[in-house]
Structures are given as C-alpha cells and as structure tokens.
Short mmCIF file of all heavy atoms in Angstrom, two decimals:
data_model
loop_
_atom_site.label_atom_id
_atom_site.label_comp_id
_atom_site.label_asym_id
_atom_site.label_seq_id
_atom_site.Cartn_x
_atom_site.Cartn_y
_atom_site.Cartn_z
N PHE A 1 103.68 71.40 38.15
CA PHE A 1 103.83 71.55 36.70
C PHE A 1 104.34 72.93 36.41
O PHE A 1 104.00 73.88 37.04
CB PHE A 1 102.47 71.34 36.06
CG PHE A 1 101.94 69.91 36.04
CD1 PHE A 1 102.54 68.90 36.80
CD2 PHE A 1 100.84 69.61 35.32
CE1 PHE A 1 102.06 67.64 36.80
CE2 PHE A 1 100.30 68.36 35.30
CZ PHE A 1 100.95 67.31 36.05
N THR A 2 105.13 73.02 35.28
CA THR A 2 105.56 74.36 34.77
C THR A 2 105.34 74.40 33.28
O THR A 2 105.85 73.54 32.51
CB THR A 2 107.07 74.51 35.05
OG1 THR A 2 107.30 74.35 36.55
CG2 THR A 2 107.53 75.86 34.65
N ILE A 3 104.66 75.48 32.87
CA ILE A 3 104.42 75.64 31.48
C ILE A 3 105.37 76.69 30.94
O ILE A 3 105.74 77.67 31.64
CB ILE A 3 102.96 76.11 31.19
CG1 ILE A 3 102.62 76.19 29.75
CG2 ILE A 3 102.67 77.47 31.86
CD1 ILE A 3 101.11 76.42 29.37
N SER A 4 105.89 76.56 29.74
CA SER A 4 106.77 77.48 29.13
C SER A 4 106.55 77.46 27.63
O SER A 4 105.85 76.63 27.08
CB SER A 4 108.23 77.17 29.43
OG SER A 4 108.63 75.89 28.96
N ARG A 5 107.18 78.44 26.90
CA ARG A 5 106.91 78.54 25.47
C ARG A 5 108.14 79.07 24.76
O ARG A 5 108.89 79.83 25.36
CB ARG A 5 105.68 79.44 25.19
CG ARG A 5 105.87 80.88 25.52
CD ARG A 5 104.46 81.56 25.36
NE ARG A 5 103.98 81.62 23.98
CZ ARG A 5 102.75 81.94 23.65
NH1 ARG A 5 101.88 82.20 24.59
NH2 ARG A 5 102.39 81.98 22.40
N ASP A 6 108.24 78.73 23.46
CA ASP A 6 109.35 79.24 22.62
C ASP A 6 108.64 79.78 21.45
O ASP A 6 108.20 78.96 20.57
CB ASP A 6 110.34 78.14 22.29
CG ASP A 6 111.52 78.53 21.41
OD1 ASP A 6 111.37 79.57 20.80
OD2 ASP A 6 112.50 77.93 21.53
N ASN A 7 108.49 81.08 21.31
CA ASN A 7 107.74 81.71 20.23
C ASN A 7 108.57 81.66 18.92
O ASN A 7 107.93 81.81 17.82
CB ASN A 7 107.48 83.17 20.57
CG ASN A 7 106.38 83.26 21.64
OD1 ASN A 7 105.61 82.32 21.84
ND2 ASN A 7 106.39 84.42 22.39
N VAL A 8 109.82 81.40 18.97
CA VAL A 8 110.60 81.23 17.70
C VAL A 8 110.29 79.84 17.14
O VAL A 8 110.10 79.77 15.93
CB VAL A 8 112.05 81.42 17.96
CG1 VAL A 8 112.87 81.08 16.74
CG2 VAL A 8 112.40 82.78 18.39
N ARG A 9 110.21 78.88 17.95
CA ARG A 9 109.94 77.46 17.52
C ARG A 9 108.48 77.13 17.51
O ARG A 9 108.09 75.96 17.15
CB ARG A 9 110.71 76.46 18.38
CG ARG A 9 112.24 76.58 18.26
CD ARG A 9 112.95 75.51 19.09
NE ARG A 9 114.33 75.41 18.87
CZ ARG A 9 115.28 76.17 19.39
NH1 ARG A 9 114.90 77.24 20.17
NH2 ARG A 9 116.55 76.09 19.05
N ASN A 10 107.61 78.14 17.81
CA ASN A 10 106.18 77.83 17.91
C ASN A 10 105.84 76.64 18.73
O ASN A 10 105.08 75.69 18.36
CB ASN A 10 105.61 77.65 16.49
CG ASN A 10 105.47 78.99 15.75
OD1 ASN A 10 105.76 80.04 16.30
ND2 ASN A 10 105.04 78.96 14.51
N THR A 11 106.47 76.51 19.93
CA THR A 11 106.34 75.34 20.73
C THR A 11 106.02 75.79 22.17
O THR A 11 106.56 76.74 22.68
CB THR A 11 107.61 74.49 20.72
OG1 THR A 11 107.91 74.11 19.34
CG2 THR A 11 107.46 73.29 21.53
N VAL A 12 105.11 74.99 22.76
CA VAL A 12 104.80 75.20 24.21
C VAL A 12 105.10 73.84 24.94
O VAL A 12 104.93 72.78 24.37
CB VAL A 12 103.30 75.59 24.37
CG1 VAL A 12 102.34 74.57 23.87
CG2 VAL A 12 103.08 75.98 25.82
N TYR A 13 105.61 74.00 26.15
CA TYR A 13 106.05 72.84 26.90
C TYR A 13 105.34 72.76 28.20
O TYR A 13 104.76 73.73 28.72
CB TYR A 13 107.58 72.97 27.25
CG TYR A 13 108.42 73.18 26.03
CD1 TYR A 13 108.83 74.45 25.63
CD2 TYR A 13 108.85 72.10 25.25
CE1 TYR A 13 109.66 74.64 24.52
CE2 TYR A 13 109.69 72.25 24.13
CZ TYR A 13 110.06 73.49 23.79
OH TYR A 13 110.87 73.72 22.65
N LEU A 14 105.28 71.54 28.72
CA LEU A 14 104.71 71.34 30.07
C LEU A 14 105.66 70.38 30.85
O LEU A 14 105.75 69.18 30.49
CB LEU A 14 103.32 70.73 30.04
CG LEU A 14 102.59 70.64 31.41
CD1 LEU A 14 102.35 72.07 31.94
CD2 LEU A 14 101.31 69.84 31.30
N GLN A 15 106.39 70.90 31.77
CA GLN A 15 107.26 70.12 32.67
C GLN A 15 106.45 69.64 33.80
O GLN A 15 105.85 70.43 34.57
CB GLN A 15 108.48 70.93 33.19
CG GLN A 15 109.35 70.18 34.10
CD GLN A 15 110.08 69.05 33.49
OE1 GLN A 15 110.56 69.15 32.36
NE2 GLN A 15 110.10 67.87 34.11
N MET A 16 106.32 68.31 33.96
CA MET A 16 105.44 67.72 34.95
C MET A 16 106.35 66.96 35.99
O MET A 16 106.99 66.03 35.63
CB MET A 16 104.42 66.79 34.34
CG MET A 16 103.60 67.43 33.29
SD MET A 16 102.26 66.38 32.71
CE MET A 16 103.21 65.01 32.02
N ASN A 17 106.35 67.43 37.18
CA ASN A 17 107.14 66.79 38.28
C ASN A 17 106.24 66.28 39.26
O ASN A 17 105.05 66.59 39.40
CB ASN A 17 108.13 67.81 38.84
CG ASN A 17 109.11 68.38 37.85
OD1 ASN A 17 109.52 67.68 36.92
ND2 ASN A 17 109.54 69.58 38.11
N SER A 18 106.71 65.43 40.23
CA SER A 18 105.99 64.89 41.32
C SER A 18 104.66 64.28 40.84
O SER A 18 103.56 64.57 41.43
CB SER A 18 105.74 65.93 42.41
OG SER A 18 106.96 66.42 42.90
N LEU A 19 104.71 63.55 39.74
CA LEU A 19 103.47 63.02 39.18
C LEU A 19 102.72 62.15 40.14
O LEU A 19 103.30 61.40 40.93
CB LEU A 19 103.83 62.23 37.87
CG LEU A 19 104.19 63.12 36.68
CD1 LEU A 19 104.87 62.33 35.61
CD2 LEU A 19 102.93 63.75 36.12
N LYS A 20 101.42 62.14 39.96
CA LYS A 20 100.45 61.37 40.77
C LYS A 20 99.59 60.51 39.83
O LYS A 20 99.41 60.92 38.67
CB LYS A 20 99.55 62.29 41.57
CG LYS A 20 100.25 63.27 42.45
CD LYS A 20 99.30 64.19 43.20
CE LYS A 20 99.99 65.17 44.16
NZ LYS A 20 98.99 66.04 44.81
N PRO A 21 99.13 59.43 40.38
CA PRO A 21 98.22 58.60 39.50
C PRO A 21 97.01 59.39 38.91
O PRO A 21 96.58 59.09 37.77
CB PRO A 21 97.79 57.49 40.44
CG PRO A 21 98.88 57.34 41.39
CD PRO A 21 99.40 58.80 41.57
N GLU A 22 96.53 60.37 39.61
CA GLU A 22 95.41 61.15 39.09
C GLU A 22 95.78 62.09 38.02
O GLU A 22 94.94 62.75 37.50
CB GLU A 22 94.77 61.93 40.26
CG GLU A 22 95.68 62.67 41.15
CD GLU A 22 96.13 61.99 42.43
OE1 GLU A 22 96.41 60.77 42.34
OE2 GLU A 22 96.17 62.61 43.43
N ASP A 23 97.07 62.14 37.68
CA ASP A 23 97.53 62.94 36.52
C ASP A 23 97.34 62.15 35.23
O ASP A 23 97.51 62.69 34.14
CB ASP A 23 98.96 63.41 36.66
CG ASP A 23 99.17 64.34 37.79
OD1 ASP A 23 98.31 65.24 38.01
OD2 ASP A 23 100.19 64.21 38.50
N THR A 24 97.00 60.85 35.31
CA THR A 24 96.82 60.04 34.16
C THR A 24 95.71 60.60 33.30
O THR A 24 94.63 60.86 33.72
CB THR A 24 96.50 58.63 34.61
OG1 THR A 24 97.64 58.04 35.27
CG2 THR A 24 96.17 57.76 33.38
N ALA A 25 96.08 60.92 32.04
CA ALA A 25 95.10 61.51 31.09
C ALA A 25 95.77 61.63 29.77
O ALA A 25 96.96 61.43 29.58
CB ALA A 25 94.67 62.89 31.59
N VAL A 26 94.97 62.01 28.73
CA VAL A 26 95.54 62.46 27.49
C VAL A 26 95.64 63.99 27.61
O VAL A 26 94.71 64.70 27.99
CB VAL A 26 94.57 62.09 26.29
CG1 VAL A 26 95.23 62.65 24.99
CG2 VAL A 26 94.39 60.57 26.23
N TYR A 27 96.86 64.45 27.24
CA TYR A 27 97.17 65.82 27.41
C TYR A 27 97.20 66.55 26.01
O TYR A 27 97.76 66.03 25.05
CB TYR A 27 98.52 66.08 28.06
CG TYR A 27 98.49 65.84 29.58
CD1 TYR A 27 98.30 64.58 30.05
CD2 TYR A 27 98.56 66.88 30.46
CE1 TYR A 27 98.23 64.36 31.44
CE2 TYR A 27 98.53 66.70 31.81
CZ TYR A 27 98.35 65.38 32.29
OH TYR A 27 98.26 65.20 33.63
N TYR A 28 96.57 67.69 25.96
CA TYR A 28 96.44 68.48 24.78
C TYR A 28 96.92 69.97 24.97
O TYR A 28 96.76 70.44 26.10
CB TYR A 28 95.00 68.55 24.32
CG TYR A 28 94.32 67.28 24.08
CD1 TYR A 28 93.65 66.60 25.15
CD2 TYR A 28 94.21 66.65 22.79
CE1 TYR A 28 92.95 65.40 24.95
CE2 TYR A 28 93.51 65.47 22.61
CZ TYR A 28 92.95 64.85 23.71
OH TYR A 28 92.23 63.64 23.54
N CYS A 29 97.36 70.59 23.91
CA CYS A 29 97.60 72.01 24.01
C CYS A 29 96.63 72.70 23.00
O CYS A 29 96.09 72.08 22.12
CB CYS A 29 99.04 72.34 23.63
SG CYS A 29 99.42 72.26 21.91
N ASN A 30 96.38 73.96 23.31
CA ASN A 30 95.54 74.77 22.47
C ASN A 30 95.61 76.20 22.90
O ASN A 30 96.22 76.47 23.94
CB ASN A 30 94.07 74.26 22.50
CG ASN A 30 93.35 74.46 21.12
OD1 ASN A 30 93.44 75.49 20.53
ND2 ASN A 30 92.70 73.37 20.71
N LYS A 31 94.97 77.07 22.19
CA LYS A 31 95.03 78.45 22.64
C LYS A 31 94.08 78.60 23.77
O LYS A 31 93.24 77.72 24.12
CB LYS A 31 94.71 79.41 21.51
CG LYS A 31 93.30 79.28 20.93
CD LYS A 31 93.12 80.43 19.89
CE LYS A 31 91.75 80.33 19.34
NZ LYS A 31 91.46 81.44 18.41
N PHE A 32 94.11 79.78 24.47
CA PHE A 32 93.26 80.05 25.60
C PHE A 32 92.88 81.51 25.60
O PHE A 32 93.76 82.36 25.57
CB PHE A 32 94.03 79.72 26.93
CG PHE A 32 93.22 79.93 28.13
CD1 PHE A 32 92.77 78.81 28.84
CD2 PHE A 32 93.03 81.19 28.70
CE1 PHE A 32 92.02 79.01 30.01
CE2 PHE A 32 92.27 81.35 29.84
CZ PHE A 32 91.76 80.22 30.49
N PRO A 33 91.59 81.86 25.63
CA PRO A 33 90.47 80.99 25.53
C PRO A 33 90.09 80.68 24.09
O PRO A 33 90.77 81.11 23.21
CB PRO A 33 89.34 81.78 26.19
CG PRO A 33 89.69 83.20 25.80
CD PRO A 33 91.19 83.25 25.82
N GLY A 34 89.03 79.90 23.91
CA GLY A 34 88.65 79.54 22.52
C GLY A 34 89.67 78.49 21.98
O GLY A 34 90.73 78.32 22.53
N PHE A 35 89.25 77.79 20.99
CA PHE A 35 90.09 76.66 20.56
C PHE A 35 90.27 76.64 19.00
O PHE A 35 89.35 76.98 18.26
CB PHE A 35 89.43 75.38 20.95
CG PHE A 35 89.19 75.27 22.42
CD1 PHE A 35 87.81 75.18 22.93
CD2 PHE A 35 90.19 75.33 23.36
CE1 PHE A 35 87.55 75.12 24.26
CE2 PHE A 35 89.92 75.26 24.72
CZ PHE A 35 88.61 75.16 25.19
N TRP A 36 91.52 76.31 18.63
CA TRP A 36 91.68 75.78 17.28
C TRP A 36 91.26 74.32 17.27
O TRP A 36 90.83 73.78 18.33
CB TRP A 36 93.20 75.86 16.93
CG TRP A 36 93.71 77.25 16.81
CD1 TRP A 36 93.19 78.33 16.19
CD2 TRP A 36 94.93 77.72 17.49
NE1 TRP A 36 93.94 79.44 16.35
CE2 TRP A 36 95.08 79.10 17.16
CE3 TRP A 36 95.92 77.14 18.24
CZ2 TRP A 36 96.10 79.93 17.52
CZ3 TRP A 36 96.99 77.96 18.70
CH2 TRP A 36 97.06 79.29 18.31
N ASP A 37 91.38 73.68 16.10
CA ASP A 37 91.14 72.24 16.03
C ASP A 37 92.05 71.50 17.02
O ASP A 37 93.30 71.85 17.05
CB ASP A 37 91.31 71.68 14.62
CG ASP A 37 90.18 72.14 13.71
OD1 ASP A 37 89.13 72.58 14.18
OD2 ASP A 37 90.37 72.04 12.48
N TRP A 38 91.62 70.55 17.73
CA TRP A 38 92.41 69.82 18.60
C TRP A 38 93.38 68.83 17.95
O TRP A 38 93.11 68.29 16.92
CB TRP A 38 91.54 68.97 19.63
CG TRP A 38 90.72 69.82 20.54
CD1 TRP A 38 89.45 70.27 20.33
CD2 TRP A 38 91.18 70.41 21.74
NE1 TRP A 38 89.03 71.06 21.38
CE2 TRP A 38 90.10 71.13 22.27
CE3 TRP A 38 92.31 70.42 22.48
CZ2 TRP A 38 90.12 71.89 23.47
CZ3 TRP A 38 92.41 71.13 23.70
CH2 TRP A 38 91.26 71.83 24.17
N GLY A 39 94.62 68.73 18.53
CA GLY A 39 95.53 67.76 18.02
C GLY A 39 95.18 66.33 18.59
O GLY A 39 94.11 66.15 19.18
N GLN A 40 96.08 65.38 18.33
CA GLN A 40 95.81 64.07 18.74
C GLN A 40 96.05 63.84 20.30
O GLN A 40 95.65 62.79 20.81
CB GLN A 40 96.63 63.04 17.90
CG GLN A 40 98.04 62.83 18.45
CD GLN A 40 98.95 63.99 18.15
OE1 GLN A 40 98.63 64.89 17.46
NE2 GLN A 40 100.15 63.92 18.75
N GLY A 41 96.74 64.74 20.85
CA GLY A 41 97.06 64.62 22.33
C GLY A 41 98.20 63.64 22.48
O GLY A 41 98.63 62.89 21.59
N THR A 42 98.66 63.56 23.73
CA THR A 42 99.70 62.61 24.11
C THR A 42 99.30 61.94 25.45
O THR A 42 98.91 62.66 26.37
CB THR A 42 101.09 63.32 24.18
OG1 THR A 42 102.11 62.35 24.40
CG2 THR A 42 101.19 64.40 25.29
N GLN A 43 99.40 60.71 25.53
CA GLN A 43 98.94 59.90 26.67
C GLN A 43 99.99 59.97 27.81
O GLN A 43 101.20 59.68 27.56
CB GLN A 43 98.67 58.46 26.29
CG GLN A 43 98.25 57.59 27.46
CD GLN A 43 96.92 57.90 28.01
OE1 GLN A 43 95.96 57.97 27.31
NE2 GLN A 43 96.77 57.98 29.30
N VAL A 44 99.55 60.34 28.99
CA VAL A 44 100.39 60.20 30.19
C VAL A 44 99.72 59.23 31.14
O VAL A 44 98.58 59.37 31.45
CB VAL A 44 100.47 61.61 30.87
CG1 VAL A 44 101.19 61.48 32.20
CG2 VAL A 44 101.31 62.56 29.89
N THR A 45 100.52 58.32 31.53
CA THR A 45 100.02 57.24 32.45
C THR A 45 100.96 57.24 33.65
O THR A 45 102.14 57.04 33.49
CB THR A 45 99.93 55.90 31.78
OG1 THR A 45 99.03 55.94 30.64
CG2 THR A 45 99.37 54.84 32.77
N VAL A 46 100.43 57.45 34.83
CA VAL A 46 101.21 57.41 36.06
C VAL A 46 100.81 56.25 36.90
O VAL A 46 99.63 56.10 37.35
CB VAL A 46 101.04 58.78 36.83
CG1 VAL A 46 101.92 58.75 38.02
CG2 VAL A 46 101.29 59.95 35.94
N SER A 47 101.76 55.38 37.21
CA SER A 47 101.46 54.23 38.01
C SER A 47 101.83 54.47 39.44
O SER A 47 102.74 55.24 39.79
CB SER A 47 102.29 53.00 37.52
OG SER A 47 103.67 53.27 37.55
N SER A 48 101.10 53.91 40.40
CA SER A 48 101.32 54.09 41.80
C SER A 48 102.39 53.06 42.35
O SER A 48 102.76 52.16 41.70
CB SER A 48 100.07 53.91 42.57
OG SER A 48 99.46 52.63 42.30
#
C-alpha cells in the first residue's frame, strides 16, 4: 500500500496493490492521532 496526499485538493489517497482476501474491510480516513467525525467509509472486498 502507498499513502499520498494533495494539500491543494484536501485529498488523501491509498494505492493498494497485491491485494489479499484479508484486506477485505471498510476503509476510512481521518487525522492521526485523534479523530474528527468518521465518514461513511468505502467497502473493499478482495476475493481469492
């Protein structure tokens, strides 16, 4: 996985390669440490 950010667009990215079934989850972004309110997340499902 590779995380990156664009401070002009207020966007953070997560490039996920070589995915495994155990990567299946709902993915969220937030600040670190401590949290703002959580978003709805995005579902990632990896089939074997």
Side-chain angles (χ1 to χ4, degrees):
F1 290 10
T2 302
I3 188 172
S4 60
R5 67 190 294 165
D6 183 334
N7 290 335
V8 174
R9 293 181 171 83
N10 285 358
T11 302
V12 61
Y13 305 96
L14 187 69
Q15 177 67 43
M16 305 187 297
N17 298 328
S18 302
L19 283 163
K20 303 176 180 180
E22 50 263 44
D23 295 321
T24 294
V26 179
Y27 284 71
Y28 304 86
C29 73
N30 213 312
K31 65 175 180 174
F32 182 103
F35 306 115
W36 296 311
D37 289 344
W38 292 95
Q40 83 288 349
T42 186
Q43 175 71 49
V44 171
T45 303
V46 184
S47 62
S48 57

